[in-house]
Amino acid sequence: MKLIKGLILTVLLLSGTTSLQAGGGWPIPKGKGYFKLGEYFIRSNSYYSPSGEIIDIATASIYITSAYLEYGLTHRLGVTAYVPFFSRATLNEQVSSNGTVLAAGDAVNSLGDFDLSLKYGLIVNKPIVVSASLTFGLPLGNDSGGDTQVLQTGDGEFNVMLGLEASRSFNKGKGYVSTLVAFNNRSNNFSDEFRIGIEVGHKIGSKVNGALKVLSVNSLNNGNDLETPSNGIFSNNIEYLAITPELSYNLKKNLGISGAIGFAASGKRVLASPSYSLGIYMNF
């Protein structure tokens, strides 16, 4: 129980700042924007331990309903916001083979941790474009919720992440490749992180787009070795390699739907099951 009393994400996903931003290295055009309403969830009875081994746990689930917004203030400068306005974390009841309740179930509902970013185009109108981003992670989620006080919808720490993204289109603009490097400075005795990612996408027909995202999150292990619960995706010294295929379908010129499945090929202190994302988006 002492292990479960510690602190545990973001990172999502395996969600939020764990994925490449929608625009890659291209700056957001002035007066233009992108909006997405999304649902992310993961349910798992296995967990990547601090040593990277997969262990069995009581079934835990996390559900995040969020809004994501990009808007161009100038031809080089834009703002983005990730707003998980409803998050739910649950822990299933544990029952023995003879029906005895070993541990009661638990649940918490709250906001999640918000991300607010500024994004600036360093190199524009070139075959390879480069943008820099500054992201502020706001600890608005619950880091010790439920009756047991071990469920989280956030990690409880304020963080500042500096990132660089480079992108290039190919096949006459039908495809693109984007890369990401980022340094995430975390407060409250959390270790800082180094992140590196790549995303490749291409049009499939006239209305369907496919993408494959790979993100590696690595802890610098320069904070306190805080105890972490094994029932979520929020943690100190979290590490993982996430592989996420995604498909989107354009319903109309500026409106579409998307779906993705995220796989953690390896990890430490994170749930060891696929995550699922659904969304509806619009360009304006």
Side-chain angles (χ1 to χ4, degrees):
M1 188 64 173
K2 187 177 181 181
L3 174 65
I4 298 181
K5 285 296 291 182
L7 196 49
I8 195 180
L9 226 96
T10 22
V11 93
L12 247 149
L13 239 127
L14 302 158
S15 114
T17 58
T18 63
S19 60
L20 298 178
Q21 294 181 3
W26 288 280
I28 308 161
K30 180 180 179 180
K32 301 295 184 179
Y34 171 89
F35 176 80
K36 183 175 183 178
L37 181 65
E39 181 71 24
Y40 165 92
F41 59 96
I42 182 172
R43 179 180 174 88
S44 182
N45 59 2
S46 57
Y47 178 78
Y48 281 111
S49 71
S51 64
E53 298 177 331
I54 297 179
I55 60 175
D56 294 332
I57 61 170
T59 299
S61 303
I62 296 175
Y63 307 87
I64 301 173
T65 305
S66 66
Y68 177 81
L69 174 69
E70 294 187 354
Y71 185 76
L73 300 175
T74 72
H75 291 299
R76 287 181 180 259
L77 179 65
V79 294
T80 70
Y82 168 70
V83 181
F85 55 88
F86 179 78
S87 296
R88 175 175 172 83
T90 67
L91 190 63
N92 280 18
E93 181 181 77
Q94 298 179 61
V95 181
S96 68
S97 58
N98 61 9
T100 302
V101 176
L102 301 176
D106 203 2
V108 61
N109 301 319
S110 76
L111 293 171
D113 289 350
F114 289 19
D115 289 330
L116 301 177
S117 303
L118 293 172
K119 185 176 181 179
Y120 184 79
L122 299 174
I123 301 175
V124 299
N125 300 322
K126 300 292 183 181
I128 298 177
V129 294
V130 179
S131 288
S133 61
L134 182 65
T135 300
F136 301 94
L138 308 180
L140 302 180
N142 192 332
D143 66 348
S144 58
D147 294 335
T148 57
Q149 296 291 292
V150 301
L151 296 176
Q152 293 93 11
T153 61
D155 54 25
E157 56 88 22
F158 174 80
N159 62 284
V160 179
M161 184 166 66
L162 179 63
L164 283 174
E165 293 178 90
S167 299
R168 178 169 185 155
S169 62
F170 60 88
N171 195 15
K172 299 180 180 180
K174 294 181 180 179
Y176 69 90
V177 58
S178 294
T179 59
L180 165 74
V181 292
F183 173 75
N184 189 24
N185 177 251
R186 308 176 80 187
S187 66
N188 202 24
N189 293 317
F190 276 66
S191 294
D192 298 328
E193 295 173 340
F194 175 73
R195 303 183 178 194
I196 184 169
I198 184 169
E199 177 179 342
V200 179
H202 202 279
K203 290 183 68 67
I204 307 172
S206 61
K207 292 188 175 184
V208 180
N209 299 282
L212 179 65
K213 305 177 184 181
V214 179
L215 178 70
S216 176
V217 174
N218 305 277
S219 173
L220 300 185
N221 294 299
N222 57 351
N224 288 351
D225 188 18
L226 301 176
E227 297 173 352
T228 59
S230 56
N231 56 21
I233 57 174
F234 302 91
S235 180
N236 186 30
N237 295 318
I238 193 172
E239 295 187 342
Y240 61 83
L241 176 64
I243 301 172
T244 307
E246 181 177 33
L247 287 175
S248 60
Y249 180 82
N250 296 322
L251 299 171
K252 296 182 179 180
K253 181 179 179 180
N254 295 320
L255 181 69
I257 56 176
S258 65
I261 303 176
F263 302 92
S266 62
K268 295 181 179 180
R269 302 177 177 88
V270 68
L271 293 177
S273 291
S275 65
Y276 301 89
S277 301
L278 298 171
I280 182 168
Y281 60 86
M282 61 179 289
N283 296 290
F284 59 92

